[in-house]
Amino acid sequence: MEKKVALSIAGSDSCGGAGIQADLKSFSYLGVHGVTVISCVTAQNTQQVRTIYKVPVDVIENQIESLFDDFSIAAVKIGMLYDEEIVKLASRKLKARNRKPIVDPVMVATSGDALSNNTFAASLKQYLLPQALMVTANIPEACTLADMPITQQKDIEKAAKKIFALGPEFVLLKGGHFPGDMVTDLLYDGKQFHRFVLPRIPQRKAHGSGCTLSALITGLLALEESPVAAVEKAKSITWSMINEGYFPGKGADVLNHSSTIQVPPLVTYPEQFEVWLQLKNAIEALVCLLPPQFIPEVGMNFTYALPDAKTRNDVCAIQGRITRHKEHPALCGTLAYGASKHVAAIVLAAMSFDPSMRSALNIRYAQKTLRLCTSIGFTTGSFDRKDEPSTAPSTMEWGTKHAITMLRRVPDIIYDTGSVGKEPMIRVLGKNPQDVLFKIKTLVNASIPYDTKLRNVYK
Ligand code: PXL
């Protein structure tokens, strides 16, 4: 198997959340092979940086030489370099190899402790930024590099232009230090500003998020993404890693770099994000509570449409399925707009009668399940595939509309008993994923025999 190789020249973070450790995990997340040059060894935990040990420059140089002599390195990231001596060395070595790095201008740790000395910023501006492909600065770093205060949105654009004038091809200014529910990062390419917006995740320090973002951008560039696409994707992935983060020590939270995360789609307005998030949360709850006998042969999809959805591209769903794996439901795939045909067609058809009914999922058909639905008091409608006119646009659209027309309302349940090669199916409809999940919980609860329930209570 062939793998792309990305290099990180950065510091070691003993607590495993930032620095070289975060970079390697980020490369690995992308399936890129990471190689490393350690510039400094920090002794730190999730609460403080205790000491910084500079690796002797000849040792840093040896690491760089060994790697370039052997690997075909597709992209280079620069993290903590600490001072002018290391900045000059990295700059000289990369220039000799004609390599333009992604530079994360690390100055201060999440804990507030310094990760650079007073020679660092000026040397970065003088030696490394002129040869950088991209610099990824947070607001305090941007203030230092642009030598100006940043207090308003318009200051950010001005600072980006000033930093661009120092020589990098792209300037990414990360807006996390700015107040507000949404965080906007700004990418400047010398001509245009590109904006990337995602909601703030409250109550997080997200130790290692800067390292992770720049490493993901580097890894994505190694995979031949364009710089704009690399920033977009890296931001989405980092958001999910923070969202799934955890507290390994007594201090700051760190990111979860494991590969099972759901990455939010790139959004142009907040509702697209909200719909994705609500569906993701409901699916995560569903796979924990659903008994495997409810999963159809063909697998399940779970959808949630944007308000006023018109086409299936306005409906978020699983690109893949929820399937049965070792007797447990498992989500196989990621969530995306336009990912479902059948269950999306059901939601769109339901919305044409009642625009508030925006979510649906399909479960295995069984007469017993159907009886339970009725005994719970769910409204049920159905269609028979034999009645479908040959002119119908799609079975799901026709069937759903047929069932709704017969009932003169959108029911909780729409089922059909299948036909040759077509699995019978029950669909649960609701206003949103929580509503559908609640109906599923009610059904699951009702399906547990009374004596089992009693036994569970008295256990
Ligand atoms: O997040 C910046 C950073 C970079 N490099 C190292 C770090 C940190 C933050 O703590 O420890 C080694």
Side-chain angles (χ1 to χ4, degrees):
M1 185 211 273
E2 210 195 303
K3 281 211 183 205
K4 296 284 188 189
V5 179
L7 163 64
S8 169
I9 306 178
S12 162
D13 169 12
S14 52
C15 84
I20 284 280
Q21 287 80 354
D23 294 348
L24 275 181
K25 286 188 272 188
S26 305
F27 293 151
S28 165
Y29 172 86
L30 296 171
V32 167
H33 178 77
V35 291
T36 59
V37 168
I38 299 188
S39 60
C40 300
V41 176
T42 68
Q44 63 174 304
N45 54 32
T46 57
Q47 302 176 73
Q48 58 175 180
V49 179
R50 294 194 179 171
T51 53
I52 296 171
Y53 174 79
K54 259 182 75 179
V55 174
V57 276
D58 58 322
V59 179
I60 301 177
E61 185 165 7
N62 277 341
Q63 295 178 74
I64 299 176
E65 289 298 325
S66 329
L67 296 174
F68 276 111
D69 286 347
D70 189 25
F71 292 92
S72 164
I73 294 172
V76 181
K77 167 198 157 153
I78 301 274
M80 174 186 179
L81 295 186
Y82 186 70
D83 70 359
E84 179 177 67
E85 191 186 22
I86 307 179
V87 169
K88 276 180 161 174
L89 172 74
S91 158
R92 184 161 52 82
K93 288 285 151 192
L94 294 179
K95 198 173 232 162
R97 307 267 176 178
N98 225 347
R99 302 314 304 257
K100 286 180 157 275
I102 306 301
V103 178
D104 182 13
V106 176
M107 297 180 194
V108 177
T110 331
S111 58
D113 301 303
L115 293 173
S116 59
N117 77 4
N118 57 5
T119 63
F120 173 73
S123 63
L124 194 77
K125 286 165 79 165
Q126 184 176 352
Y127 300 105
L128 214 39
L129 294 194
Q131 64 186 84
L133 175 65
M134 189 183 295
V135 55
T136 62
N138 60 31
I139 300 291
E141 290 160 354
C143 291
T144 305
L145 296 176
D147 204 10
M148 60 176 271
I150 299 176
T151 54
Q152 310 169 38
Q153 279 296 328
K154 69 172 181 12
D155 297 335
I156 299 191
E157 294 191 6
K158 190 171 162 204
K161 286 183 176 167
K162 284 185 82 173
I163 299 170
F164 183 80
L166 297 169
E169 289 181 22
F170 292 88
V171 178
L172 178 65
L173 295 194
K174 302 172 285 181
H177 287 77
F178 250 37
D181 291 343
M182 303 300 276
V183 175
T184 304
D185 295 349
L186 193 74
L187 180 69
Y188 183 55
D189 60 10
K191 291 188 215 84
Q192 289 187 56
F193 289 102
H194 306 263
R195 285 186 167 73
F196 308 101
V197 188
L198 279 176
R200 181 183 302 282
I201 303 169
Q203 268 127 38
R204 297 300 168 92
K205 287 196 166 141
H207 174 65
S209 52
C211 304
T212 298
L213 180 76
S214 55
L216 289 170
I217 294 171
T218 309
L220 288 160
L221 290 170
L223 294 170
E224 294 171 12
E225 293 282 354
S226 72
V228 177
V231 172
E232 280 183 354
K233 290 188 181 168
K235 171 144 172 127
S236 285
I237 299 167
T238 306
W239 186 95
S240 289
M241 289 177 171
I242 299 172
N243 196 39
E244 313 263 301
Y246 55 97
F247 293 81
K250 299 192 184 83
D253 54 305
V254 300
L255 282 65
N256 187 343
H257 292 84
S258 88
S259 63
T260 53
I261 56 166
Q262 286 290 331
V263 171
L266 304 168
V267 298
T268 42
Y269 53 97
E271 241 152 11
Q272 287 170 310
F273 179 82
E274 238 348 273
V275 162
W276 171 83
L277 187 63
Q278 284 201 36
L279 184 61
K280 178 185 95 81
N281 289 341
I283 289 173
E284 283 168 2
L286 180 76
V287 295
C288 293
L289 68 85
L290 195 73
Q293 65 269 23
F294 282 94
I295 301 175
E297 287 299 316
V298 296
M300 294 173 79
N301 211 328
F302 195 167
T303 64
Y304 188 26
L306 288 165
D308 306 318
K310 293 285 175 293
T311 73
R312 77 167 133 122
N313 289 335
D314 302 325
V315 183
C316 196
I318 304 168
Q319 187 106 59
R321 287 281 189 276
I322 295 170
T323 54
R324 203 165 160 155
H325 178 69
K326 294 186 182 157
E327 289 313 297
H328 291 286
L331 169 60
C332 305
T334 53
L335 307 192
Y337 284 91
S340 159
K341 205 166 139 199
H342 291 130
V343 188
I346 293 166
V347 167
L348 290 168
M351 284 177 79
S352 68
F353 289 85
D354 178 352
S356 75
M357 295 297 275
R358 290 163 45 200
S359 186
L361 59 67
N362 62 313
I363 57 173
R364 182 187 280 264
Y365 174 89
Q367 276 183 355
K368 187 177 153 226
T369 310
L370 209 52
R371 277 198 300 273
L372 278 175
C373 289
T374 324
S375 67
I376 291 165
F378 287 161
T379 47
T380 60
S382 68
F383 59 89
D384 189 333
R385 287 171 182 266
K386 285 199 295 291
D387 300 334
E388 182 183 357
S390 58
T391 52
S394 84
T395 309
M396 290 308 128
E397 184 183 334
W398 165 81
T400 307
K401 287 184 173 169
H402 177 80
I404 294 171
T405 312
M406 301 304 279
L407 278 172
R408 287 196 273 146
R409 60 177 292 193
V410 178
D412 302 307
I413 304 291
I414 295 180
Y415 69 93
D416 79 285
T417 52
S419 68
V420 182
K422 300 283 178 197
E423 186 180 357
M425 199 70 72
I426 295 175
R427 294 97 186 167
V428 182
L429 291 83
K431 293 189 185 307
N432 53 49
Q434 279 307 325
D435 185 23
V436 173
L437 190 65
F438 181 74
K439 290 174 188 180
I440 292 286
K441 276 186 194 164
T442 311
L443 190 58
V444 170
N445 219 8
S447 74
I448 301 171
Y450 187 61
D451 57 338
T452 315
K453 258 194 264 185
L454 277 184
R455 232 181 293 134
N456 285 342
V457 169
Y458 292 113
K459 219 169 12 195

